[in-house]
Amino acid sequence: MTETSVAPEVTLPPGARHGRGGEALEALARAIIPVVLALLVGGLLLLALGRNPLTFYGGIVRTGLLSPIGLQDSVTRMAPLLLIAVGLIVVFRANIWNIGIDGQFLLGAAMAAGFGPPLARAVPPGLALVLLCLIGAVVGAAWTLIPAFLKARYAVNEVITTLMMTFIGINFANLLVKGPFRSTKTLVPQTDVLPFGSMLSYVPGTRIHVGIFAAVVAVLAVHYVMARTSFGIRLDVLGANPRAAVHLGLAVRRLTVISFLLSGALIGLAGAVEILGVWGYVRADWNPAFGLEVVPLIFLARLNALASVPFVAFFAVISIGGDYATRQAGLPTDFLLVLVGLVLFFMAVTEYLRARQALARGRPSLGLAPTRQGGSE
Amino acid sequence: MRGLLTNTFLTALVSGGLLAGVPLLFGSLGETISERAGILNIGLEGMMLMGAYAGFIGALYSDSPWVGLLAGIAAGAFTSLFMVVLCVRLGLDQIVIGIALTLLAEGITSVLHGAQFGVTYPRLGAVSLVTIPMLSRIPVLGHSLFSQPLVVYLGFAVVVLTHWTFRATNVGLNLRAAGEKPEALDAAGVSVTTTRSWAVLTTGALAGLGGGYISIVGAGIFVPFMTNGAGFISIVIAMLARGRPLWVIAGSLLFGMSLSVATALQLAGINIPTDAVHMLPFATVVLALVIFARQAYLPAALGVPYVRGAR
């Protein structure tokens, strides 16, 4: 879909929107408009800096999508991003803001890298991989315990506590890598390198590790839980209206803690998978900072696990290709942060305009049908 | 451990604490104003970073720290304009916009700095100090407390001014009403939107000033991501200070000291890993929250956009 196919959607008469096709089109438009606007404004910024935006974006597509190696790298990059995405969906659906992603991710990664080599020597490779993934998940979950407790018990704002924990986690991971996990074989502080045979194997014929399957399974599982189980519905109720959740007799505190732990576990697992699949070790001060970059993606997917896949794929291409394109343009890779911020920004504005439109259409029948669809005859 | 109570250690701790604490002071004072008026400003980090960058550029090209600080204030206020329009006027989600602003500020300042200076980091001249005659003679702490750049004294003056505004003026009353019971303010004929807009703008200006202080007075250079969580720590200080400006001073200095304890310890001959030291201020925050969580106080209408007539 391109921008032009989206534009006429705005001028559709209210009635035409109610067919299934109209709704799908609208959902697509809501997701694509912010991305297009962000790319446009990002392009203007590039122009202002004297760079050619077409060359820049062309470079992203060529290296991230069209070159065989780049494409495989993009798919590989999707593995941790998808795990983080579903890890965030399970909390955001309950309207809980776990934004301490980087700390949970890095601790999962550091633990996998630190315990990897000794475990690989002690137990068979398959078992070692499973154990290491478990360790990553447990550590990630443990790192959310304090924010979860404070939120559940004293209603302390989790945006703040998870952020504080992420700063602590990043430094703590570094401390581990430079201290107990430090390799004696290298001058630069890093962990011992996991032997290639003990890492996640490649999908035959490619250089994509099998962690991507773990990520896909996680996406399907989270989608199933959120869409088909009572636990998923409880989280949704909690997210939609915490007071209603209390009146319904839901165990709000327990739900809060469980969704926090699930989130941390999936994000910690993402860190372990990235190490076991791609790197094999953690270097001191390594921090890919995926965290806040995933947030806009899952909002674009409206907190739906399946729908997050195309957005994560899109971002994986941008992040692999962007590495190359920013270097070519002589800019810091932080330019990608600008794009991510702009997407978030335009998404909020698009949502606002849509909500206002719906409200305007729905006003005559507001008392009868106070739904977001509105205006139904 | 013998070196811990020496002059060098205490001087380093106190002056370092002030150096690191003053930007937190401006930031958390700003956040206090905005929280009292009912807006949770998560974009504070971004506003401080914009202030740090603009302040540095201003000071570099004008050769005057004052022009730089003014540029920082302007940049912070400009950034907060987005929040005014999107969150106060249109009622969009304050957390989403706050995160977006922080990401944008991080990206833009890093890109602009990279495009302009590459990987070089030009240095500003030192800022002149103002020494208060008698007090600076006090043994041990006198010199570090009372020989500071003028803007430090201004910072404390602004806190006292804010305290007075909240306590004794109509403006302060309006601000508090906008956070506690906006419908009452509306019924009294004062615009909630305007009151909150000014609060957020002031927050942006103060955050920008704090950011400018970090790059101009504190470091003398600009490095991407240099605020390094100062904005988020400021938000926590504002929460723990429970909207009382005078407590903001105590909180900021305490956190400032925990930021500067590393250097002080090194001067005292004790070496602990820098990563452990960098954890300290954040660990302090978490510990403080665990201990004082019951008492953290937030205005009733915080984070809730005001829509006239809505229930």
Side-chain angles (χ1 to χ4, degrees):
Chain A
M1 279 289 152
T2 59
E3 195 191 356
T4 44
S5 64
V6 166
E9 192 269 336
V10 181
T11 56
L12 280 177
R17 220 179 274 265
H18 292 290
R20 262 192 104 77
E23 254 171 51
L25 194 69
E26 192 187 327
L28 199 66
R30 284 209 304 265
I32 290 177
I33 289 176
V35 174
V36 172
L37 286 175
L39 291 177
L40 274 178
V41 174
L44 289 178
L45 181 66
L46 284 170
L47 267 182
L49 292 171
R51 267 70 167 184
N52 183 345
L54 292 179
T55 320
F56 184 83
Y57 290 135
I60 290 184
V61 175
R62 249 184 306 118
T63 41
L65 188 65
L66 300 182
S67 92
I69 292 185
L71 181 62
Q72 295 183 37
D73 283 349
S74 297
V75 176
T76 308
R77 174 62 54 87
M78 282 178 70
L81 293 179
L82 279 177
L83 284 168
I84 295 174
V86 290
L88 289 179
I89 285 172
V90 293
V91 267
F92 283 15
R93 284 281 277 260
N95 203 13
I96 297 170
W97 290 82
N98 172 16
I99 53 176
I101 304 141
D102 292 339
Q104 294 152 25
F105 178 89
L106 282 179
L107 278 173
M111 289 293 172
F115 288 114
L119 255 183
R121 280 192 295 272
V123 296
L127 182 63
L129 285 172
V130 172
L131 285 177
L132 290 171
C133 285
L134 264 180
I135 292 178
V138 168
V139 171
W143 213 244
T144 65
L145 263 178
I146 294 181
F149 167 76
L150 286 174
K151 163 95 180 165
R153 187 84 176 74
Y154 299 121
V156 175
N157 189 317
E158 72 281 10
V159 173
I160 304 302
T161 47
T162 51
L163 269 172
M164 293 298 120
M165 289 306 284
T166 206
F167 283 115
I168 302 175
I170 291 167
N171 286 306
F172 188 49
N174 256 333
L175 212 56
L176 288 175
V177 171
K178 291 175 188 167
F181 291 161
R182 179 165 179 178
S183 167
T184 48
K185 298 177 195 115
T186 52
L187 275 178
V188 190
Q190 66 168 65
T191 63
D192 275 325
V193 182
L194 203 61
F196 191 71
S198 316
M199 289 174 59
L200 290 171
S201 52
Y202 285 152
V203 178
T206 68
R207 37 183 264 162
I208 303 167
H209 65 78
V210 295
I212 187 71
F213 294 127
V216 171
V217 168
V219 168
L220 294 175
V222 167
H223 187 77
Y224 175 79
V225 168
M226 295 311 299
R228 293 271 182 273
T229 67
S230 71
F231 177 71
I233 295 192
R234 278 185 228 149
L235 285 186
D236 273 343
V237 171
L238 178 61
N241 190 340
R243 271 164 74 191
V246 173
H247 289 303
L248 276 174
L250 298 186
V252 170
R253 284 181 182 172
R254 205 170 60 201
L255 272 178
T256 304
V257 173
I258 291 177
S259 71
F260 245 128
L261 290 180
L262 261 180
S263 168
L266 285 163
I267 295 167
L269 178 65
V273 163
E274 179 73 353
I275 293 309
L276 300 174
V278 179
W279 298 96
Y281 68 96
V282 169
R283 187 167 41 76
D285 299 319
W286 175 73
N287 181 5
F290 291 139
L292 291 183
E293 299 175 341
V294 180
V295 173
L297 304 178
I298 61 167
F299 279 130
L300 288 172
R302 316 196 72 73
L303 304 185
N304 178 315
L306 282 187
S308 73
V309 177
F311 293 106
V312 166
F314 170 76
F315 182 73
V317 169
I318 286 199
S319 111
I320 294 290
D323 240 13
Y324 164 84
T326 44
R327 239 180 304 123
Q328 282 307 96
L331 291 173
T333 45
D334 300 324
F335 182 76
L336 297 182
L337 283 180
V338 179
L339 288 184
V340 172
L342 285 171
V343 169
L344 207 50
F345 179 82
F346 283 120
M347 203 184 56
V349 176
T350 319
E351 278 310 291
Y352 166 76
L353 292 177
R354 196 195 64 85
R356 211 178 58 164
Q357 219 178 13
L359 197 68
R361 269 188 278 122
R363 186 148 285 162
S365 61
L366 203 63
L368 293 171
T371 59
R372 291 216 291 204
Q373 299 295 323
S376 52
E377 265 92 31
Chain B
M1 298 298 274
R2 211 169 51 88
L4 266 189
L5 286 173
T6 58
N7 279 358
T8 352
F9 175 77
L10 283 178
T11 313
L13 189 65
V14 171
S15 59
L18 259 182
L19 200 67
V22 169
L24 299 179
L25 182 70
F26 287 121
S28 48
L29 185 66
E31 187 71 20
T32 299
I33 295 173
S34 142
E35 276 182 16
R36 281 233 125 165
I39 301 287
L40 179 63
N41 190 345
I42 298 281
L44 200 71
E45 177 85 8
M47 295 172 191
M48 288 185 92
L49 199 51
M50 291 293 273
Y53 176 74
F56 170 77
I57 296 293
L60 185 69
Y61 288 118
S62 70
D63 252 336
S64 150
W66 291 107
V67 175
L69 288 173
L70 283 177
I73 293 175
F78 173 76
T79 316
S80 72
L81 261 183
F82 287 90
M83 196 141 213
V84 168
V85 173
L86 297 173
C87 298
V88 180
R89 306 256 153 188
L90 302 186
L92 299 188
D93 190 303
Q94 294 165 12
I95 298 180
V96 172
I97 296 299
I99 295 178
L101 281 182
T102 297
L103 285 173
L104 273 174
E106 285 178 348
I108 284 178
T109 51
S110 168
V111 167
L112 289 179
H113 183 271
Q116 197 172 1
F117 303 110
V119 284
T120 60
Y121 302 95
R123 188 162 272 284
L124 301 172
V127 179
S128 59
L129 304 180
V130 176
T131 305
I132 297 180
M134 303 290 280
L135 295 173
S136 63
R137 298 270 192 73
I138 300 172
V140 187
L141 296 184
H143 189 69
S144 43
L145 276 181
F146 297 105
S147 180
Q148 291 288 339
L150 189 57
V151 61
V152 173
Y153 305 118
L154 281 181
F156 289 102
V158 175
V159 176
V160 175
L161 184 73
T162 313
H163 177 72
W164 175 78
T165 308
F166 274 136
R167 270 289 178 81
T169 68
N170 266 337
V171 176
L173 194 63
N174 290 349
L175 281 173
R176 282 183 351 214
E180 295 289 353
K181 215 162 181 44
E183 26 331 339
L185 184 64
D186 201 9
V190 182
S191 162
V192 176
T193 312
T194 311
T195 309
R196 285 183 167 181
S197 300
W198 282 111
V200 173
L201 265 181
T202 314
T203 305
L206 283 169
L209 177 58
Y213 180 96
I214 292 181
S215 62
I216 299 167
V217 183
I221 57 173
F222 178 82
V223 185
F225 302 95
M226 76 181 304
T227 48
N228 193 23
F232 295 120
I233 297 185
S234 300
I235 297 176
V236 175
I237 296 174
M239 280 185 173
L240 291 176
R242 299 165 69 188
R244 290 164 304 184
L246 292 181
W247 282 78
V248 164
I249 295 185
S252 307
L253 292 185
L254 199 69
F255 284 109
M257 277 193 214
S258 76
L259 278 170
S260 69
V261 78
T263 346
L265 282 175
Q266 272 159 6
L267 284 176
I270 300 164
N271 265 314
I272 49 174
T274 46
D275 294 304
V277 172
H278 287 157
M279 280 164 59
L280 204 62
F282 304 106
T284 319
V285 170
V286 171
L287 196 70
L289 280 174
V290 171
I291 299 173
F292 300 112
R294 256 158 292 203
Q295 285 146 32
Y297 169 77
L298 295 172
L302 185 68
V304 185
Y306 180 66
V307 184
R308 183 178 282 178
R311 296 205 298 152

